[in-house]
Structure formats: structure tokens, C-alpha cells
Amino acid sequence: MEILYKSTRGNGETVTASQAILQGLSPDGGLFVPTEIPQLKKSLKELSLLSYQELAYQVMSSFLTDFTEEELKECIGKAYDSKFDTEEIAPLTEKDGVYFLELFHGATIAFKDMALSILPHLMTVSARKNHEHREIVILTATSGDTGKAAMAGFADVPGTRIIVFYPKNGVSPIQEKQMVTQKGSNTYVVGITGNFDDAQTAVKRMFHDQKLGAELAEAGFLFSSANSINIGRLVPQIVYYVYAYASLLRKGNIQEGEKIQVVVPTGNFGNILAAYYAKQMGLPIERFICASNDNKVLYDFFSTGVYDRNREFILTSSPSMDILISSNLERLIYRIAGEDSSRCKELMEALSSQGRYEITPDMKEQLKDFYGNYASEAETAETIARVFKETGYMLDPHTAVAATVYGKFKAQTGDSLLAVIASTASPYKFTRSVMSALGDQYNDMTDFELVDKLNQLTGTAVPKAIEEIRTASVLHDRVVSAEEMPAAVKEILGI
């Protein structure tokens, strides 16, 4: 069965998977969605016997139907290899009465590696399939993790360049050091004097700028995206939810068909949308628990049916979730609007012009599988300290937000189903936040002194990604305003 892709704001025109990956964003400003969600091709029992790589093929081949078996298996083999520090790729750890799905064992110790280690390979195959000879320019805004993971994936990949924009004062010191020390003759990092939403809005504007697009084309370049607006980012994320269920089944923690809860800390909504797609494929998920930090725009949306970004932007200890415009929510809105692209477009234009939109009661009724809540900064720190004290397991702040929200969900519902929490980053990426949660005695230490203290307290190995940046030289120091981003891109590309 061939799966094609259409825009959430389009007139029903379709493109192949490889064309959708290559374009990143639809020309009409919408996001590409599959014409239908395929069903899992094997039983859950059969899937439980597969390795991560084998299971990735099962899931991804259902969506990427214009890739040959050889092409897709080669992409998967290049992505999920020794870059990951565990053969399992995404192991489950049982602590504090829940299962933490550790998605941080890749090259940059954050969950973005799960998709961004394969996207460059999917993209270069897509270019070849579509006879695209222009150089692909990956344009990405990051709230901390996507940028580094994308650069690590695309560094020195022939036929590509990558330009990453990040909020200069809106990421952790370790996140920033990881980005500004990135090697690769085709990688560029630019700080902006604004927040993530400013960067993301400017990137989207550049994608829609026909004059800029024409200038690029004339110079032999083509824009594409590594953000989760690219379907080539989203499809690989579906895999690890299926793998988590398969692992629980293999280990006898659940019976085949038994339902689980999935808890996801999210700002841009891509990571939880992947779980939603997994359920549509046939994975037995009872509920999606959507965890927000103090930027609780998603919590308010699930509570009221009103999405409103007209509010203060708060910098928190979980910066990858410091987002007020959740781009991937558009894919869910399109679905609950009955795949009515004109309705979806109307709502997205209202968000752009007025900063808010409201869904109908009928649409809100279709969100009953979702539960939203948020964790304050104090609650997040308390959870980090409590879980470490009780179990010796250290959570990063994003995972702690999810654990806090799951606690609230259990207290409100009395629910006892087995829960999987998406653990999205290594605590080593946020040493200052996790150590300050344990007490004031660590406040005067440098970031790398904190790394060593964390290593001493937990007995876990310092990840290679951290060791590499201890003495690495800063290679990228450009800072611009959001308005200057198009000029910076042209300068970098020599246009």
C-alpha cells in the first residue's frame, strides 16, 4: 500500500514520502501528513522479538513507501550504530514505580538523536530519488537540543549545509557549548537576541519567502528543515514508542494487548504526536499525558480548547520546552478537524495574526485521550531531589517535568496502568539545574566541576559528548537579531 503525503493547509495535492522529506514544509505553509496512518504489519508478539533496527524497518517502511528495502535498511544501519552507547538504542529503566524510556544514548545525549541520526541519510536518498542536484541547506531553529543533534547528523554530509539558530540566552551552558564547538565544514551556528519562538517564526518566514527561494535556487541551493515539522523527523520517533511496548512485552512486564500510559514532556508537540501516531497504528496506549513547564500553553489548550500564545515567555530549567508556538500541534488539529484543510488553515492564520484560536466542542471531544498538566520550577527541582534520594536515579529537568505531571495525573485519577515516561535528555546536559535541585552547596562550582560531581554522586559514566567539549574551541560566535536572520543566511551561503 502506497502512503502519500498532503499538506494540512492544502487542496488535497499529494507528494511522495521522499518529496515531503526533501521539502520539509509545504509551499502553502502547512505541514505534510500521511494520507492515512498505516497499521502495524506484524503482531505485537512478533515485534517484541525484533532488534531496534529491525523494528525501525517495520515501522518506517509502512510510512516511507517510495523507499526500497535496501535504501531504508541502509539508512537505518548508518543511523543506529556505535554512535549509541547501548546496543538496545532506547533502553527502559524501572524506577520510582514507572518505566523511563531512555532516549538519550546517542551522540548528543538528547532524544533528538533518535530521529536526527537518520534524517541526513533519508534526505540524501530523497535527493537522489528526485534527481535533485542543488545543495540542500538545512535551516533550523532550536530550543537547545535539535540544533546540536542536527549538526552532528549533517556534519560533512556531501551535498548539504546546515544553519542553526538558537536563542543566545535561552539554552543551558552545556547545550550552548555543544553547539558553538561543532566541527564540520558545512555547519553554521548563529545566536539570536530573542527567544526560540522568534527564531522559529523567522525560519518559517524564510521558507515562505518566494524571493529568497528564487535567489537560493539561482545560486544552486534548496531549503529544507531538520525540525520536527519535517515528516522525516517525525516518522523515526514513532519507532521508539513501539519499541518500548515491545520491550515490556518481551520482558513479561505486560501481556500482549494490555494498555499502557505514555507520559511525554513536550513544547513543540512532535514527541507526543509520534506516540499518537503509534496508537493510530495499533499500539495499545490508553492515554497521552502531555507534560508542560511554566510555559503551559499546551496545558491551557487541553483544559480549555483555546490555544493562546499571548503571554509572558518564561525561561526555565527545561529550555527545550520553552516554547509558546507548538508547531506540531497543527497536525493534530488537522486530524480532529476531520482533515478539513481550510478549517485548519483558518485556525493557523488566526494564531499568526491574533496569537490565539479556539477549537469547537466537537474537536475538543476528540482530545479525550490527552491529559495535560504542568510542573512549576519548584516542583521540577523537588522531583529531581526526591527521585535521586529515593532511588539514586538522576532525572534531567525535562524528564522531571514529566514525572511531576504523571504524579499529578495519578493523584487525580487513581490510575494504576503501567506508565512509560519519555526520558528526553541526559542529566549531564543540565548539570547546573540538576545539582542545584540537590542543594545550594553546588552553586559556586563551574559547569565541568558539576559534571565531575554528578559522576561521583551517581556512579554513571560521563558521556563522550560531554568529555569532548571540555577543552573544545569555540568555532561559532555570530549573534544577530531575528530580523537579521535572512541576511545572515545569505552571507553564510555567499549569495
Side-chain angles (χ1 to χ4, degrees):
M1 180 178 70
E2 186 181 22
I3 300 289
L4 296 170
Y5 291 81
K6 57 187 175 179
S7 167
T8 51
R9 305 185 199 180
N11 297 317
E13 311 91 335
T14 57
V15 296
T16 63
S18 63
Q19 288 168 335
I21 289 168
L22 211 47
Q23 290 180 44
L25 198 63
S26 174
D28 56 31
L31 307 189
F32 286 115
V33 289
T35 46
E36 61 183 292
I37 306 283
Q39 294 302 291
L40 292 168
K41 291 186 280 193
K42 289 182 182 287
S43 71
L44 296 166
K45 189 75 178 166
E46 288 172 305
L47 292 173
S48 73
L49 305 174
L50 303 181
S51 68
Y52 192 90
Q53 292 83 350
E54 290 166 337
L55 194 142
Y57 178 75
Q58 287 297 317
V59 173
M60 292 175 65
S61 61
S62 299
F63 282 94
L64 310 180
T65 55
D66 66 327
F67 283 69
T68 67
E69 181 176 352
E70 185 186 8
E71 285 170 339
L72 191 50
K73 283 186 172 174
E74 187 182 345
C75 289
I76 289 166
K78 285 178 176 175
Y80 305 113
D81 58 10
S82 60
K83 289 190 293 294
F84 287 81
D85 64 17
T86 167
E87 273 186 43
E88 271 193 283
I89 308 295
L92 280 166
T93 298
E94 186 184 7
K95 297 285 179 186
D96 199 37
V98 293
Y99 287 85
F100 290 96
L101 177 60
E102 294 184 348
L103 301 173
F104 52 77
H105 288 276
T108 75
I109 57 176
F111 82 100
K112 306 293 172 77
D113 290 323
M114 302 299 295
L116 285 166
S117 58
I118 193 167
L119 182 63
H121 306 295
L122 295 175
M123 201 164 273
T124 50
V125 170
S126 296
R128 195 165 66 238
K129 291 176 90 67
N130 290 282
H131 312 292
E132 179 55 71
H133 302 299
R134 286 173 291 179
E135 193 168 358
I136 299 165
V137 178
I138 305 298
L139 205 58
T140 288
T142 185
S143 53
D145 287 338
T146 290
K148 174 61 183 180
M151 285 188 292
F154 279 95
D156 295 322
V157 170
T160 68
R161 294 199 204 183
I162 177 163
I163 305 172
V164 169
F165 293 97
Y166 76 97
K168 177 64 183 155
N169 297 307
V171 299
S172 82
I174 296 282
Q175 283 178 312
E176 182 171 45
K177 187 86 189 281
Q178 279 189 299
M179 285 191 282
V180 299
T181 58
Q182 175 65 48
K183 294 175 182 172
S185 58
N186 64 336
T187 63
Y188 307 88
V189 185
V190 184
I192 75 149
T193 53
N195 60 41
F196 169 75
D197 287 333
D198 298 326
Q200 180 167 256
T201 300
V203 163
K204 283 185 173 178
R205 200 172 288 131
M206 282 189 267
F207 271 105
H208 301 156
D209 186 334
Q210 291 180 333
K211 182 170 175 285
L212 180 61
E215 286 182 70
L216 278 159
E218 196 176 320
F221 296 111
L222 170 72
F223 272 155
S224 192
S225 170
N227 282 78
S228 54
I229 54 176
N230 192 317
I231 198 73
R233 259 283 302 275
L234 195 59
V235 169
Q237 291 181 261
I238 300 168
V239 175
Y240 49 73
Y241 291 108
V242 181
Y243 183 73
Y245 192 94
S247 296
L248 291 167
L249 191 55
R250 183 174 65 253
K251 293 170 184 172
N253 303 123
I254 53 173
Q255 300 301 308
E256 186 171 13
E258 190 179 330
K259 289 190 172 182
I260 63 168
Q261 311 287 23
V262 171
V263 192
V264 187
T266 188
N268 219 7
F269 207 72
N271 203 10
I272 198 164
L273 183 74
Y276 175 81
Y277 277 6
K279 179 172 181 173
Q280 305 303 307
M281 292 186 82
L283 202 67
I285 299 173
E286 174 72 13
R287 196 170 277 104
F288 309 99
I289 300 167
C290 179
S292 301
N293 63 17
D294 277 323
N295 293 291
K296 53 189 176 69
V297 65
L298 286 167
Y299 163 60
D300 292 340
F301 169 70
F302 285 115
S303 303
T304 66
V306 176
Y307 192 98
D308 190 348
R309 67 171 173 86
N310 300 311
R311 62 183 71 203
E312 181 192 358
F313 184 96
I314 301 166
L315 291 174
T316 73
S317 60
S318 47
S320 299
M321 297 159 67
D322 290 346
I323 294 171
L324 295 181
I325 304 172
S326 305
S327 290
N328 259 293
L329 186 61
E330 180 170 344
R331 286 184 165 113
L332 182 64
I333 294 296
Y334 174 75
R335 196 162 174 88
I336 64 173
E339 304 204 341
D340 181 344
S341 56
S342 59
R343 178 79 184 117
C344 184
K345 185 178 181 182
E346 190 183 302
L347 292 172
M348 294 307 124
E349 285 175 350
L351 179 64
S352 181
S353 59
Q354 297 148 43
R356 72 189 298 279
Y357 62 80
E358 183 169 3
I359 61 173
T360 64
D362 177 56
M363 290 167 75
K364 193 167 188 295
E365 174 63 21
Q366 294 179 66
L367 297 176
K368 59 182 184 294
D369 286 355
F370 287 87
Y371 166 91
N373 215 319
Y374 77 102
S376 68
E377 285 292 270
E379 289 172 327
T380 303
E382 283 164 20
T383 297
I384 291 170
R386 179 189 63 77
V387 172
F388 180 67
K389 184 182 175 190
E390 292 176 6
T391 69
Y393 189 63
M394 189 71 82
L395 305 178
D396 94 286
H398 304 77
T399 310
V401 164
T404 304
V405 165
Y406 176 62
K408 292 181 179 185
F409 169 77
K410 270 187 83 173
Q412 285 173 17
T413 63
D415 184 89
S416 60
L417 283 183
L418 183 148
V420 171
I421 293 180
S423 183
T424 55
S426 164
Y428 282 99
K429 201 155 191 168
F430 300 94
T431 47
R432 190 157 298 281
S433 297
V434 301
M435 297 303 285
S436 65
L438 302 187
D440 297 339
Q441 66 270 35
Y442 305 113
N443 290 356
D444 294 332
M445 289 185 173
T446 68
D447 289 299
F448 287 103
E449 284 172 344
L450 291 171
V451 164
D452 293 331
K453 191 66 184 175
L454 180 59
N455 163 249
Q456 187 187 325
L457 284 176
T458 62
T460 54
V462 177
K464 185 180 166 194
I466 298 296
E467 291 294 4
E468 282 176 346
I469 61 171
R470 275 187 196 265
T471 55
S473 303
V474 171
L475 303 174
H476 310 272
D477 57 5
R478 189 189 305 239
V479 180
V480 302
S481 68
E483 294 73 30
E484 294 168 327
M485 284 167 58
V489 167
K490 288 168 74 170
E491 187 187 329
I492 285 167
L493 298 177
I495 297 174

